[in-house]
Amino acid sequence: MRTLHHWPLDPDSRQARLALAEKKLKFKLISVAPWAPTEAFLGVCVEGVPPCLVEDTDGGKAIISTARAICEYVTDDGSGRMPLLPHSARERAEARRLCHWFDVKFANDVNAYILTERLEKCLSATGAPDPSELRIGRGHLKFHLEYMEWLLESRDWLACNQMSLADLAAGAHISCLDYLDEIKWSKWSGLKEWYQKLKSRPSFRPLLKDTIPGLRPPHHYADLDF
Amino acid sequence: MRTLHHWPLDPDSRQARLALAEKKLKFKLISVAPWAPTEAFLGVCVEGVPPCLVEDTDGGKAIISTARAICEYVTDDGSGRMPLLPHSARERAEARRLCHWFDVKFANDVNAYILTERLEKCLSATGAPDPSELRIGRGHLKFHLEYMEWLLESRDWLACNQMSLADLAAGAHISCLDYLDEIKWSKWSGLKEWYQKLKSRPSFRPLLKDTIPGLRPPHHYADLDF
């Protein structure tokens, strides 16, 4: 039995869902808003922030939180099946560098503005989005999309020529922004091709079905041929 | 040949130095301030932020940046010698959860206030420390130190009963704050015992010899029996 406490439009939770699905691990989802953790969730996860994976193992219950630890945990199963990190040590390092880039830099530069203003404030009813904060976040987003396009000029996937945790991290972020229609795809051809490949994977399907009451995604959000 | 671009009082650079030294890998250090990357450094490292490891390998030059990618890279050598991650998958996940905790939460809650105000502003001559920002950072630091004490009540090291990358991440942060005399050790007995063990390791010695011109550490900083 495996349960993931997550929030549908949280990039970190999405990374964990993608990694579990890529490894073909079955799991149950329990939704918890990052800004309003329930008592039940706090009883499971001391930090009180999704994602948190709870798994029954031979050695008892494993409780693993943070997207990074969950992604490495499901990758690191010793089986070699559906590898989510490349075979070469250098490429693994590049994948982990990019995971960190999305976990920290992208999150601070972009999410801290766009997702906080458009999702958290709206859904927690703590105020209207501040246009100046959104402008800062959108400026940063443009820089990050340019960087991703540049990486994809010489690689099939973000870290190397194989899909890796770096693509799941990036795809998790990009998909949340796409739900909010923040990406003008006509401007980003290399990135669009990469995102089309990612969206077509079975692991991505459940994310494309997510809906948040009162916040409808654009038509192209779930379209594989957008 | 192996070179680490680092900055002496940067917790991320210190993590990388500790991991390299724990794995008994020889390396040359080049100092670069995070807020003023040199042209030469930008030519090596696109992000322009230390730490960045440059290593001659059979397949050419490996350039690996971010503390997390460097620490995983040196750990992940397939040798099993001086392991920096525990043997059990659950304990590895716990170590990585804590690494992320220090990389992201501790860095945002504490460094963003204390190190920015007391180091970056002072050394880049961009202003005097703001007492209200310092107060916020010190409040957060107290919470983090309590959390570490709580973890150490049931474990020899932070993630489990074996030293791991989580201890190196934490030790890197704590040592920078200790250089600034921000930790009142008499209040934190469990933490002090853990830090004494860490400070006594050969990998830690070079960090205790670091000096920043114009910014002298307290007497106890380099003392193993403080």
Side-chain angles (χ1 to χ4, degrees):
Chain A
M1 166 97 160
R2 198 179 285 116
T3 306
L4 184 73
H5 297 261
H6 83 127
W7 193 68
L9 285 190
D10 165 40
D12 281 352
S13 298
R14 287 190 157 206
Q15 283 191 57
R17 285 164 76 189
L18 288 170
L20 285 159
E22 284 288 335
K23 296 295 283 186
K24 313 247 186 268
L25 298 170
K26 292 202 187 316
F27 56 102
K28 208 177 76 179
L29 284 172
I30 295 180
S31 182
V32 57
W35 54 86
T38 56
E39 283 299 318
F41 179 58
L42 288 168
V44 173
C45 172
V46 184
E47 298 99 325
V49 181
C52 180
L53 177 70
V54 182
E55 192 178 61
D56 290 325
T57 70
D58 293 344
K61 214 179 266 301
I63 299 177
I64 299 162
S65 64
T66 79
R68 191 56 31 232
I70 295 170
C71 287
E72 290 275 357
Y73 177 73
V74 303
T75 302
D76 181 21
D77 64 352
S79 75
R81 286 168 58 235
M82 276 81 70
L84 297 180
L85 281 169
H87 182 67
S88 109
R90 266 167 79 173
E91 290 181 345
R92 276 199 298 281
E94 176 65 354
R96 285 177 168 133
R97 176 186 76 80
L98 285 167
C99 288
H100 186 83
W101 177 272
F102 287 99
D103 284 351
V104 180
K105 189 149 175 62
F106 195 98
N108 285 341
D109 287 355
V110 181
N111 301 4
Y113 296 93
I114 300 182
L115 299 192
T116 303
E117 293 299 319
R118 293 200 53 200
L119 283 178
E120 191 174 328
K121 273 193 176 178
C122 163
L123 298 170
S124 64
T126 51
D130 178 337
S132 65
E133 294 285 296
L134 281 175
R135 207 159 29 240
I136 297 171
R138 287 171 180 153
H140 293 164
L141 174 59
K142 185 168 172 283
F143 157 78
H144 279 278
L145 298 180
E146 278 166 1
Y147 178 59
M148 292 170 77
E149 281 261 330
W150 177 76
L151 289 173
L152 290 164
E153 277 172 21
S154 58
R155 301 167 179 183
D156 291 345
W157 295 90
L158 283 172
C160 56
N161 289 333
Q162 177 193 328
M163 199 209 65
S164 74
L165 291 181
D167 299 284
L168 304 188
H173 282 277
I174 294 296
S175 66
C176 291
L177 292 162
D178 196 37
Y179 189 102
L180 298 172
D181 206 10
E182 287 284 346
I183 299 172
K184 302 294 162 247
W185 289 106
S186 57
K187 288 188 185 170
W188 309 102
S189 62
L191 192 67
K192 184 175 171 174
E193 198 180 310
W194 163 84
Y195 191 52
Q196 271 170 332
K197 280 192 296 188
L198 208 55
K199 263 174 109 166
S200 307
R201 298 180 79 88
S203 65
F204 228 85
R205 300 277 160 80
L207 277 64
L208 301 178
K209 289 186 190 144
D210 282 340
T211 48
I212 300 283
L215 197 68
R216 201 192 290 246
H219 284 301
H220 72 258
Y221 172 73
D223 188 356
L224 299 186
D225 192 26
F226 57 106
Chain B
M1 166 96 159
R2 198 179 286 116
T3 305
L4 184 74
H5 299 261
H6 83 127
W7 193 68
L9 285 191
D10 165 40
D12 281 352
S13 298
R14 288 191 156 206
Q15 283 191 59
R17 285 164 75 189
L18 288 170
L20 284 159
E22 284 288 336
K23 296 295 286 186
K24 312 248 185 267
L25 298 170
K26 291 203 186 315
F27 56 102
K28 209 176 75 179
L29 283 172
I30 296 180
S31 181
V32 57
W35 54 87
T38 56
E39 284 298 320
F41 179 58
L42 288 168
V44 173
C45 173
V46 183
E47 298 99 326
V49 182
C52 179
L53 178 69
V54 182
E55 192 179 59
D56 290 326
T57 69
D58 293 344
K61 214 179 266 302
I63 299 177
I64 299 162
S65 65
T66 78
R68 192 55 32 231
I70 296 170
C71 287
E72 290 275 358
Y73 177 73
V74 303
T75 301
D76 180 21
D77 65 353
S79 77
R81 286 169 58 236
M82 275 81 70
L84 297 180
L85 281 170
H87 182 67
S88 109
R90 267 168 77 173
E91 289 180 346
R92 277 199 298 283
E94 176 65 354
R96 286 176 169 134
R97 176 186 75 80
L98 285 167
C99 288
H100 187 84
W101 176 271
F102 288 99
D103 285 351
V104 179
K105 188 146 176 65
F106 194 99
N108 286 341
D109 286 355
V110 181
N111 301 4
Y113 296 93
I114 300 182
L115 300 191
T116 302
E117 293 299 319
R118 293 201 53 200
L119 284 177
E120 190 173 329
K121 274 194 176 176
C122 163
L123 298 169
S124 64
T126 51
D130 178 338
S132 65
E133 294 284 296
L134 281 175
R135 204 158 32 238
I136 297 171
R138 286 171 180 153
H140 293 162
L141 174 60
K142 184 169 173 282
F143 156 78
H144 280 279
L145 298 180
E146 278 166 2
Y147 179 58
M148 291 169 76
E149 281 260 330
W150 177 76
L151 289 173
L152 290 163
E153 276 172 22
S154 58
R155 300 168 179 182
D156 291 345
W157 295 91
L158 283 173
C160 55
N161 288 333
Q162 176 193 327
M163 199 209 63
S164 73
L165 291 180
D167 300 285
L168 304 188
H173 282 277
I174 293 297
S175 66
C176 291
L177 292 162
D178 196 38
Y179 188 102
L180 298 173
D181 206 9
E182 288 283 348
I183 299 171
K184 301 296 161 247
W185 288 107
S186 57
K187 288 188 187 171
W188 308 102
S189 62
L191 193 67
K192 184 174 171 175
E193 198 180 311
W194 163 84
Y195 191 52
Q196 271 170 331
K197 282 192 296 186
L198 207 57
K199 263 175 110 167
S200 307
R201 298 179 79 87
S203 65
F204 228 85
R205 299 277 161 81
L207 277 64
L208 301 178
K209 290 186 188 141
D210 282 339
T211 49
I212 300 284
L215 197 68
R216 200 192 293 244
H219 285 300
H220 73 258
Y221 172 73
D223 187 355
L224 299 186
D225 191 27
F226 56 108

